[in-house]
Amino acid sequence: MGGRIYRPEQGAGILELPEIGRLHIGKKQMGQNGKEYPVSVDYFIPSGKYAGMFAQALGEKPATIQVVFPSDEAEKVCNERYEYRDDKGALVARGDGRIFEIWDGKKYAPYSVDQYPDIMQQITANNPTKRGAENWDIVLTLRFIIPAVRGIVGVWQFSTKGKASSIRNIRESFDGVQAMRGTVTGTVFDLSVQFAKSNKPNTNSRYPVVSLVANDNRIAQIRDAMAPTQNLSLLLPGKEK
């Protein structure tokens, strides 16, 4: 008999760590009319109980941070999905393009595209919003360890809806490293954000683009930095242990 209740859905050998904070690339700013409005930034803003530890380790406005993924399961650490929310922001439905979970008042019930080929259109029609069909968003959520934030063991979360830029960059980098090496858990990545200018005519608008790039030069350095509080060698390939 083991020391935990057996839960088949957890799987075997999967590293589960608590969420200790979230990162954002936007904030609310007070306008001249006295009302708050959202603005984008080109640095990461932490939130949560350990936000102070993040700022102490990485500064007030870090544009690049090093991260390590504790799992190879995309669903857990690099999750991409469709989301449909009502005008109040409540999540009506979510899905991966094959299976969609729709809120039925008590739970999220699964529906297959094989059985309901027009399921996304049905959700839009049954839950009208101001944005209409454009209310479907693609959301990418990352969960990772930040080795520089020492003294606390857990994962940070970052989500983006930048489907035309950030999501593709991040997904292709994650999948590319995993395809070449068979795992991402032995790789240190640079997670960076910078502003890009819009290509639309007669506009000076800009938007933040997030990128994920493997940084093998930092593996040994980050391993040493984490040594007093964590055993990063568990996350490194054999030659680096």
Side-chain angles (χ1 to χ4, degrees):
M1 183 170 65
R4 295 290 184 276
I5 294 174
Y6 176 66
R7 295 178 174 87
E9 68 275 11
Q10 289 183 344
I14 302 303
L15 181 59
E16 297 284 356
L17 295 173
E19 181 183 310
I20 57 176
R22 298 192 177 193
L23 302 183
H24 313 272
I25 52 174
K27 62 180 181 178
K28 290 188 176 181
Q29 183 170 297
M30 189 69 69
Q32 295 181 351
N33 58 4
K35 294 183 179 180
E36 287 187 331
Y37 61 96
V39 295
S40 298
V41 297
D42 58 349
Y43 54 89
F44 295 104
I45 301 174
S47 65
K49 181 179 179 180
Y50 302 102
M53 296 177 67
F54 176 95
Q56 183 178 10
L58 295 163
E60 294 294 331
K61 298 180 178 181
T64 298
I65 61 176
Q66 277 74 50
V67 304
V68 175
F69 293 105
S71 170
D72 278 307
E73 289 193 60
E75 183 179 356
K76 294 180 180 293
V77 298
C78 187
N79 181 281
E80 182 186 29
R81 70 183 188 183
Y82 290 104
E83 285 189 359
Y84 189 92
R85 295 179 181 270
D86 62 22
D87 287 332
K88 295 182 179 179
L91 182 62
V92 174
R94 60 195 179 196
D96 63 2
R98 296 173 299 175
I99 303 295
F100 285 83
E101 296 177 333
I102 305 173
W103 181 251
D104 63 7
K106 296 182 179 180
K107 64 182 185 305
Y108 287 100
Y111 292 85
S112 170
V113 171
D114 291 337
Q115 294 178 308
Y116 303 94
D118 61 343
I119 187 65
M120 296 180 76
Q121 291 84 348
Q122 288 188 40
I123 293 171
T124 302
N126 294 334
N127 302 272
T129 64
K130 295 178 181 178
R131 294 172 61 197
E134 294 183 357
N135 205 48
W136 280 104
D137 287 313
I138 297 177
V139 180
L140 184 82
T141 298
L142 300 177
R143 295 181 179 87
F144 44 78
I145 297 169
I146 304 178
V149 182
R150 301 165 64 182
I152 184 69
V153 181
V155 294
W156 296 79
Q157 178 173 303
F158 171 76
S159 294
T160 178
K161 294 181 180 179
K163 61 183 178 181
S165 53
S166 298
I167 288 182
R168 180 179 178 180
N169 293 341
I170 295 170
R171 184 189 66 234
E172 290 184 351
S173 180
F174 182 95
D175 292 350
V177 170
Q178 192 172 55
M180 287 189 296
R181 301 180 176 176
T183 180
V184 294
T185 60
T187 299
V188 176
F189 289 86
D190 283 347
L191 185 67
S192 304
V193 57
Q194 62 180 3
F195 277 128
K197 293 183 179 180
S198 174
N199 290 321
K200 295 180 181 179
N202 302 317
T203 179
N204 293 319
S205 64
R206 58 181 187 170
Y207 55 92
V209 175
V210 179
S211 62
L212 184 73
V213 179
N215 185 349
D216 288 347
N217 293 328
R218 297 301 305 276
I219 290 180
Q221 182 179 350
I222 288 180
R223 176 194 60 194
D224 294 340
M226 290 181 63
T229 54
Q230 301 180 46
N231 185 8
L232 184 59
S233 65
L234 295 176
L235 303 178
L236 297 175
K239 66 179 180 180
E240 288 287 344
K241 292 182 180 179

